[in-house]
Amino acid sequence: MTRTAKFRVWRGDASDGALKDYNVEVNEGEVVLDVIHRLQATQTPDLAVRWNCKAGKCGSCSAEINGRPRLMCMTRMNTFTDEETITVTPLRAFPVIRDLVTNVSFNYKKALEIPAFAGPAHLKLGEYRMEQIDVERSQEFRKCIECFLCQDTCHVIRDHEENKEAFAGPRFFIRLAELDMHPLDTLDRKRAAQEDHGLGMCNITKCCTEVCPEHIKITDNAIIPMKERVVDVKYDPIRWLGSKIRLREGL
């Protein structure tokens, strides 16, 4: 069954832009990305939109739909009423390139700041061994498709441009948690999370968890455990005293 939907889409570039209204046909079973493609084909051939797999696995088609960060390919049209105007805008936390396409290079810069897995020096590749429970603990974090919806909705990034230099964001806190929970990783991820990547600036509102299309429990399973580990290492008075004694004795 075909119906006509009312869409309001942001058009413009880094210098200027505005919301424009369109009426577009919608077929049964379609998602928002289908409608955006129909707009391109029938009314706005110059509409810029980033997409790739259309299966919720590449993270390319991130946008804000009625103000909520979502994947366009996973937002079904039957969740909206016939009378509703569907507003599609680019991710607000990142600079606009054109129309619905934003510059998310901030995230790749942050990724480069996190050192890769560093295994024990005395083991060669192929000699690593770990318990299944340790494999399962970090497997959840590897489901991340880097859609950056969590980065977009995080108010520390979204509302405070000045924080971007010191704050990595939820996507990279789960990366740090994954590495820190790896029993064979040898680097000090806890101190780095606090001192280099701004973990302490997160006040665990759980907005990142709410928008994650892979349903990763970012706050409960990554950020809060990392905060607890940081406290153990940096602020536990017994650990602090022990470190001072070892330094004095030259251990």
Side-chain angles (χ1 to χ4, degrees), residues 74-144:
M74 299 300 289
T75 305
R76 305 196 69 83
M77 287 300 300
N78 63 9
T79 60
F80 305 103
T81 65
D82 292 350
E83 297 76 24
E84 191 171 357
T85 298
I86 301 162
T87 302
V88 185
T89 55
L91 298 178
R92 200 180 89 183
F94 308 113
V96 171
I97 297 175
R98 189 161 70 86
D99 299 339
L100 301 179
V101 178
T102 53
N103 183 350
V104 294
S105 59
F106 159 81
N107 300 287
Y108 302 118
K109 175 179 177 290
K110 291 300 178 182
L112 290 173
E113 293 174 0
I114 298 176
F117 169 78
H122 67 282
L123 294 178
K124 299 178 182 178
L125 292 178
E127 295 180 346
Y128 295 163
R129 299 291 183 270
M130 55 193 292
E131 296 289 337
Q132 183 62 32
I133 190 172
D134 291 318
V135 175
E136 294 169 354
R137 181 179 291 118
S138 60
Q139 190 64 39
E140 175 188 12
F141 307 140
R142 298 188 188 121
K143 291 162 49 182
C144 175

Side-chain angles (χ1 to χ4, degrees), residues 161-230:
E161 183 70 23
E162 69 276 11
N163 289 337
K164 287 185 176 180
E165 187 65 31
F167 186 76
R171 187 277 170 267
F172 301 103
F173 293 150
I174 67 172
R175 174 62 175 157
L176 287 162
E178 175 195 337
L179 291 167
D180 194 66
M181 293 177 186
H182 198 299
L184 297 176
D185 186 72
T186 58
L187 298 184
D188 185 358
R189 308 288 179 175
K190 303 174 188 67
R191 291 184 183 276
Q194 179 76 0
E195 297 170 5
D196 302 331
H197 304 293
L199 179 65
M201 299 169 72
C202 170
N203 57 9
I204 54 177
T205 59
K206 295 192 177 185
C207 52
C208 51
T209 300
E210 291 175 3
V211 300
C212 178
E214 286 295 321
H215 307 292
I216 301 171
K217 294 181 173 60
I218 300 171
T219 310
D220 291 341
N221 291 353
I223 294 177
I224 290 176
M226 280 302 292
K227 281 178 173 283
E228 291 171 345
R229 290 172 179 228
V230 167

Side-chain angles (χ1 to χ4, degrees), residues 52-65:
N52 187 23
C53 75
K54 202 188 170 189
K57 292 302 177 184
C58 74
S60 299
C61 65
S62 300
E64 296 192 11
I65 302 173

